[in-house]
């Protein structure tokens, strides 16, 4: 039996953000269309969700291009998508009731019709935004990359780039809590660098714009590094290879330095050190690792609950600001998780 | 009780090759001194070995430089060293008798004083040179890299560079015998390319000097590759990353394209594909893997005995030719294992 229940009045039309055109190099607001469109009706087994908060993430830049990648590209003329938390306003599923908060993947719109099988109820113990950050995809990315791909061990010296972001700040804190010998982070502003040492407990941090990364990393890690968590690529990767100790491990998570490049960027000139120092590197995508989701939540949620892990959020208000928030995350305007408050 | 037994007359002096100077870029014969030196006396627990055949290997180039690496550099004014098989002529060890053949690491000289603990008796079932090639360090390198580091599986498409060398030719054959879907090799001459398909059973092979490596690899592996065994580095590595299928694996063994470079060479410009395709790369050095030595021998020796594995040797006669043989291996003059017949 299908039950359609409405808790609040739903407007006839609502805002969604569509891909207007594919960017060459850096995207601009012209690549997005802000459209008032009819609010769709949920079909059998579906929910109508009023989105409260949505995520903008660097990986979305790849989806703006047509090239085949690990997630399907956005389609021109269609709304973008991405992680969001909202409130169920109509339910055609026995598993969800109006008023419940759910995590789903149809952000970039005020109202979303979501298959009940694609929605996850979220606990009110944590703020909704936590499920888009420290307890969501970015948090899981940090956990999987550090623990599984880089095979972190107590006593390691760990370097993470993009360290003030949602992923990087958790990598550093998990490493410290796990008994790292030393944790070093790089970021792109003096404020972020200060945050790394003063709030997130990094042992050392530097601004990659101040001087060559290799030089700053050698100064920050005079005894070398054992693990590198790469969010940036480019000269950060070359610097990390150069500072690696024997049997060092690299988790390759992202390359934000290259997402908007219009031609191929120079690669690391020191790849032969993979042989001489027996290095390993493992590229990964968080979605391949759902078997670790329970481990992640059981490891990280108590640390968040107890206040032993800090997280930062940068948010903008109003869905019409979502394109600007996204451009900001590519420029590094955010500290911690970049969010768009919708409702 | 020490027993010193002599089976044949030993001269007072014999030839050894010493490092005269460290090369900048490509070495020349001027970097070597050919010296007539007194034949030393074995001390307690030592053997005097008359070398019959010795190995010249690309990795020795690294040891000619002063830079710290995974093996100690050669010392100026001292004899070089490296794998050799010889006959025991005097023994101060109960474990060895004159007349026995032993494998040891003090090549580059006609007579060597070897600690008995550093010598391995070798079976007369195989020619002595086999213990410097297919059943020795190069063979073990191929086995460890393919099976353990690249985690080869039946059905994989495998690409190996430097495929006509001692290591590469075994990698290709082990992959074929292990059920590879397709095995592709690159080499540097038409003769070697022909040998790969006609003798070693590769499915496809190309001359990397004929056209860009990426283009030739795409043509040879239209469905992509799952494993890359890297002996070369440089543009071969970039091409392999470009042709990798999802979850592909790279064993980084050597980078002969770069050993004589006087400045840093460009790196792969497509490192971000490590993320999108979830690639892994593992650098290794055979000496770290002695726990696999028995597996290796039990796997490969029967295949050699049954004639199911072929190997090629290129040899020069006379220890005075050793420097030229070594320069030849760096230029790729050899097919299969490069050897120097001493006695």
């Amino acid at each position: 039996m299908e039950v359609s229940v409405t808790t609040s009045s739903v407007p006839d039309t609502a805002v969604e953000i569509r891909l207007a055109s594919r960017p060459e190099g850096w995207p601009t607001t012209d690549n997005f269309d802000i459209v008032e469109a009819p609010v769709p009706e949920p079909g059998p087994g579906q929910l109508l969700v009023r989105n409260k908060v949505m995520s903008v993430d660097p990986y979305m830049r790849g989806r703006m291009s047509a090239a085949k990648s690990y997630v399907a590209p956005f389609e021109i003329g269609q709304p973008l998508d991405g992680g969001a938390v909202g409130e169920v306003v109509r339910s055609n599923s026995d598993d969800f009731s109006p008023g419940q908060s759910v995590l789903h993947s149809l952000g970039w719109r005020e109202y979303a019709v979501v298959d009940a099988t694609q929605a996850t109820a979220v606990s009110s113990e944590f703020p909704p935004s936590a499920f888009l950050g420290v307890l969501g995809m970015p948090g899981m990315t940090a956990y999987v990359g550090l623990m599984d791909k880089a095979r972190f061990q107590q006593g390691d010296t760990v370097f993470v780039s993009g360290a003030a972001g949602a992923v990087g700040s958790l990598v550093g804190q998990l490493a410290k809590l796990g008994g790292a010998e030393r944790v070093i982070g790089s970021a792109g502003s003096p404020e972020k660098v200060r945050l790394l040492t003063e709030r997130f407990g990094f042992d050392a941090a530097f601004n990659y714009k101040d001087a060559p990364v290799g030089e700053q990393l050698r100064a920050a890690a005079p005894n070398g590094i054992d693990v590198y968590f790469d969010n940036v690529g480019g000269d950060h990767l070359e610097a990390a290879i150069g500072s690696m100790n024997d049997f060092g491990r690299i988790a390759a998570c992202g390359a934000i330095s290259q997402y908007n490049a219009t031609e191929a960027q120079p690669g690391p000139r020191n790849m032969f050190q993979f042989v001489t120092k027996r290095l390993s590197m493992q590229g990964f995508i968080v979605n391949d690792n759902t078997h670790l989701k329970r481990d992640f939540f059981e490891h990280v949620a108590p640390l968040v609950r107890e206040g032993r892990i800090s997280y930062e959020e940068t948010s903008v208000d109003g869905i019409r600001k979502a394109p600007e928030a996204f451009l900001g995350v590519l420029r590094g305007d955010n500290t911690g998780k970049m969010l768009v408050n919708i409702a």
Side-chain angles (χ1 to χ4, degrees), chain A:
Chain A
M1 191 189 68
E2 286 165 20
V3 187
S4 190
V5 185
T6 305
T7 53
S8 52
S9 66
V10 172
D12 293 336
T13 62
V15 173
E16 63 184 33
I17 316 277
R18 296 180 184 167
L19 184 66
S21 57
R22 299 198 186 281
E24 303 266 329
W26 284 86
T28 70
T29 51
D30 289 346
N31 298 121
F32 301 87
D33 264 343
I34 300 174
V35 176
E36 189 86 26
V39 173
E41 281 294 319
Q46 292 186 320
L47 316 173
L48 181 68
V49 177
R50 186 172 58 223
N51 284 332
K52 289 179 180 166
V53 57
M54 61 167 265
S55 182
V56 287
D57 299 284
Y59 82 91
M60 294 172 175
R61 173 62 185 84
R63 299 185 66 194
M64 296 183 79
S65 300
K68 173 181 169 289
S69 184
Y70 56 94
V71 266
F74 297 129
E75 294 298 333
I76 291 175
Q78 296 295 312
L80 288 79
D81 58 71
V85 175
E87 180 188 344
V88 176
V89 289
R90 290 182 189 155
S91 174
N92 290 335
S93 160
D94 292 341
D95 297 332
F96 293 92
S97 311
Q100 268 192 300
S101 276
V102 291
L103 171 68
H104 63 92
S105 62
L106 294 177
W108 294 90
R109 64 202 84 186
E110 289 182 299
Y111 283 84
V113 166
V114 179
D115 287 345
T117 56
Q118 302 297 311
T120 307
V122 295
S123 151
S124 60
E125 185 191 0
F126 300 99
S129 61
F131 297 98
L132 300 176
V134 68
L135 295 178
M137 188 267 284
M140 172 88 173
T141 301
Y143 179 82
V144 165
L146 181 68
M147 299 303 190
D148 191 62
K149 307 310 172 192
R151 305 187 303 283
F152 169 76
Q153 294 178 323
Q154 192 178 342
D156 280 343
T157 292
V158 174
F159 172 49
V160 53
S161 54
V167 174
S169 60
L170 186 56
V171 169
Q173 292 178 85
L174 288 175
K176 279 305 283 183
L177 289 167
E181 168 71 19
R182 188 169 172 80
V183 175
I184 299 134
S186 68
S189 76
E191 297 70 30
K192 291 181 184 178
V193 167
R194 203 159 40 240
L195 198 74
L196 291 181
T197 51
E198 293 181 2
R199 170 119 195 243
F200 294 133
F202 283 58
D203 298 290
F206 60 84
N207 183 342
Y208 67 84
K209 295 170 181 168
D210 283 351
V213 179
E215 199 176 286
Q216 295 196 78
L217 180 57
R218 278 192 297 278
N223 297 320
I225 61 175
D226 304 297
V227 163
Y228 173 48
F229 192 109
D230 190 14
N231 288 311
V232 171
D235 52 359
H236 272 82
L237 179 55
E238 181 175 286
I241 293 169
S243 275
M244 276 271 160
N245 294 324
D246 285 354
F247 303 101
R249 290 143 275 140
I250 299 172
C253 176
I256 198 166
S257 71
Q258 317 209 347
Y259 293 167
N260 295 303
T262 48
E263 43 192 71
Q265 300 293 293
R269 290 162 296 180
N270 51 2
M271 293 295 288
F272 184 55
Q273 295 190 27
F274 270 81
V275 180
T276 55
K277 300 196 291 198
R278 298 83 138 184
L279 307 182
S280 68
M281 173 154 154
Q282 175 70 60
F284 76 104
I285 289 166
V286 67
N287 292 344
D288 295 329
N289 296 276
T290 48
H291 62 289
L292 296 172
K293 205 162 184 174
R294 179 183 296 263
D295 284 357
F296 156 65
F297 203 83
E298 289 178 355
H299 187 109
V300 175
L303 295 170
V304 173
R305 192 182 293 123
E306 296 159 16
R308 298 179 66 198
I309 281 181
S310 302
Y311 58 98
E312 287 274 325
E313 295 175 347
T314 301
S315 58
V316 302
D317 288 331
I319 189 168
R320 291 171 187 274
K321 295 278 183 58
E324 283 163 39
F326 172 65
L327 301 182
V329 91
L330 293 178
R331 285 191 304 262
D333 292 353
N334 58 306
T335 300
K337 184 75 199 91
M338 184 67 122
L339 297 165
V340 179
N341 294 318
I342 297 177

